Amino acid sequence: MQISGHSNGNFYKLLSFRILIVLAYQIIATVVGWHIYELTHDTLALGLIGLTEAIAYFCSALFAGYAIDHYSRRLFGVVACLLLFGNALTLAAISAGWLGDNILWWIYGSIGLTGLARAFFGPTFSAMFALVVARDRYARAAGFATSVFQFGLVVGPALGGILVAWAGKISAYGVAAGLCLGSATALLSIRVKIPKSEISESIATSIGQGFRFVFSNQIILGAQSLDMFAVLFGGAVSLLPAFIHDVYHYGPEGLGILRAAPAIGAVMTGLYMARNPIHRHTGKWLLAAVAGFGISMICFALSVNFWLAGLLLILSGVFDGVSVVLRSTILQLATPDAMRGRVSAISGIFIGSSNELGAFESGIAARLMGLVPSVIFGGTMTLIVVGATAKLAPKLRRLELGQLQ
């Protein structure tokens, strides 16, 4: 199947860049979470992982979008891969005991560098996607790309858990470092003409243009806000080490399985939607999917069986997969080519940082309410957010995808 006017090879190389860096990031995230909880047995310490990465990500994301729009749509992605490569080696050195005392400080500092590197991955992919995929193929390509992305979310945590259980943390970080190098190589190998951008305004002015575009577009703003608050309140992934230790009594391989479960559902959904894009009642499908995600999280919190919990997390991934594909397609179709880096970076602040801030919120809520009540609270808040978005963003609620094509 022809994806674009360019060869399919460029699209597959772009997908290789994405999946390899996702695998590396997920391995690092899984191993770091296990390591921190192993040292502290404190849910707040797990939440601080998210806060540390979110601060670094938030401080650099807007500048990353500006740099990709105005200087290079590829170079900064390669540099970010190499930064994550160095970070994986640093974490391996920490695990080996080569960096002395104050282990937690070293780990949290390394997590901050992960947030800095991650700020460039989304804008790079979004900008390159528009160069290698024809506009009339965006919906199908977005579904396929989401499946590949979610496949990385399946394999990465599982691989991280297996590597920790069978080979140790040092080996796990070493594998992540190798994947980072592979991702950089894939991005460099893409052969496509990249248009030059003329810099005619200051950084602040350029970033401000991106914000004005997003906040003046009710459809984009509504979709991003919906997903942001759903992830902020509804996610329970950061608390999985505590569920594994205290509820299900499994080892690190169990953590890998549960971390991968949501992505299994999302992969199946993405593959289906790649062949069957949702063009009608798009806004209503998006709202329903996020509501389903919140309900799945409430049911997960109430489950006491490991395998039932896994099935509920798979179901949450199905709903999240619908949301991700629709949101990605809306963003690609509604964004001008010259602003893709900045708009993707702003979207990343909405969605990406909410993952880490959501982890911090989950840690605080678990400390104050207890592990299970905190997840029930988050799922309930997600349902409230869906209702508020349906009321406040009628253009999104009534959206038909064909309106944007």
Side-chain angles (χ1 to χ4, degrees):
M1 181 180 68
Q2 191 72 11
I3 297 294
S4 71
H6 305 280
S7 68
N8 286 353
N10 283 330
F11 182 61
Y12 296 141
K13 289 174 184 177
L14 183 61
L15 293 181
S16 297
F17 153 72
R18 193 179 203 190
I19 191 173
L20 291 174
I21 207 62
V22 168
L23 286 171
Y25 174 82
Q26 289 297 321
I27 290 173
I28 291 171
T30 301
V31 179
V32 163
W34 181 262
H35 194 185
I36 291 274
Y37 199 74
E38 192 176 51
L39 291 171
T40 66
H41 292 278
D42 186 354
T43 54
L44 181 59
L46 292 175
L48 288 174
I49 294 175
L51 180 63
T52 302
E53 185 173 341
I55 290 172
Y57 181 92
F58 185 83
C59 291
S60 54
L62 295 177
F63 298 100
Y66 172 84
I68 288 167
D69 275 344
H70 290 85
Y71 292 101
S72 174
R73 299 190 182 187
R74 177 174 18 212
L75 175 62
F76 292 99
V78 173
V79 172
C81 290
L82 297 179
L83 179 59
L84 195 61
F85 164 78
N87 188 40
L89 295 184
T90 301
L91 287 166
I94 293 169
S95 300
W98 294 349
L99 299 181
D101 299 327
N102 300 316
I103 292 177
L104 287 179
W105 285 105
W106 279 107
I107 293 175
Y108 284 123
S110 185
I111 290 167
L113 291 178
T114 298
L116 173 62
R118 193 170 65 84
F120 290 88
F121 296 140
T124 296
F125 179 82
S126 180
M128 295 297 291
F129 182 95
L131 294 179
V132 302
V133 178
R135 188 176 180 83
D136 61 352
R137 301 279 184 160
Y138 278 6
R140 292 182 181 275
F144 191 53
T146 296
S147 294
V148 170
F149 175 76
Q150 296 292 347
F151 179 77
L153 299 186
V154 173
V155 176
L159 184 56
I162 290 170
L163 286 170
V164 171
W166 292 355
K169 294 185 287 290
I170 298 174
S171 296
Y173 288 129
V175 170
L179 291 169
C180 291
L181 291 180
S183 181
T185 301
L187 187 57
L188 283 171
S189 68
I190 296 173
R191 294 291 178 262
V192 64
K193 183 177 180 181
I194 300 178
K196 294 183 178 180
S197 299
E198 295 184 3
I199 304 173
S200 58
E201 65 276 322
S202 67
I203 294 178
T205 300
S206 180
I207 292 174
Q209 290 174 349
F211 271 109
R212 284 192 294 275
F213 173 79
V214 171
F215 280 88
S216 65
N217 189 309
Q218 186 184 110
I219 292 173
I220 289 182
L221 181 62
Q224 302 308 310
S225 299
L226 175 66
D227 223 40
M228 179 184 73
F229 286 109
V231 171
L232 181 64
F233 291 115
V237 171
S238 66
L239 296 177
L240 287 181
F243 274 95
I244 289 293
H245 269 280
D246 303 336
V247 178
Y248 307 123
H249 308 293
Y250 269 70
E253 65 279 7
L255 174 62
I257 291 171
L258 289 192
R259 279 192 65 105
I264 293 174
V267 166
M268 295 186 296
T269 302
L271 289 174
Y272 176 82
M273 293 183 67
R275 300 179 66 89
N276 304 277
I278 296 175
H279 292 287
R280 298 191 62 190
H281 309 301
T282 308
K284 293 178 181 177
W285 274 105
L286 179 59
L287 291 165
V290 177
F293 175 80
I295 293 171
S296 299
M297 287 295 98
I298 293 172
C299 294
F300 163 76
L302 295 172
S303 67
V304 294
N305 179 273
F306 175 82
W307 295 108
L308 176 59
L311 289 174
L312 289 167
L313 289 174
I314 289 174
L315 183 61
S316 76
V318 170
F319 289 119
D320 189 48
V322 174
S323 172
V324 169
V325 171
L326 293 180
R327 179 173 49 81
S328 299
T329 305
I330 290 168
L331 194 67
Q332 289 287 354
L333 288 172
T335 304
D337 287 342
M339 300 182 70
R340 291 189 181 277
R342 282 163 289 173
V343 172
S344 178
I346 293 168
S347 172
I349 290 176
F350 273 89
I351 309 305
S353 62
S354 64
N355 282 288
E356 285 67 49
L357 291 176
F360 181 62
E361 180 273 335
S362 296
I364 292 289
R367 171 71 72 87
L368 296 175
M369 302 178 185
L371 185 61
V372 172
S374 69
V375 179
I376 295 174
F377 167 77
T380 303
M381 289 300 297
T382 299
L383 296 178
I384 293 173
V385 167
V386 171
T389 303
K391 176 69 174 178
L392 298 174
K395 289 184 179 179
L396 177 64
R397 187 181 68 245
R398 297 192 293 263
L399 176 67
E400 305 282 341
L401 197 61
Q403 298 172 3
L404 302 177
Q405 292 179 326

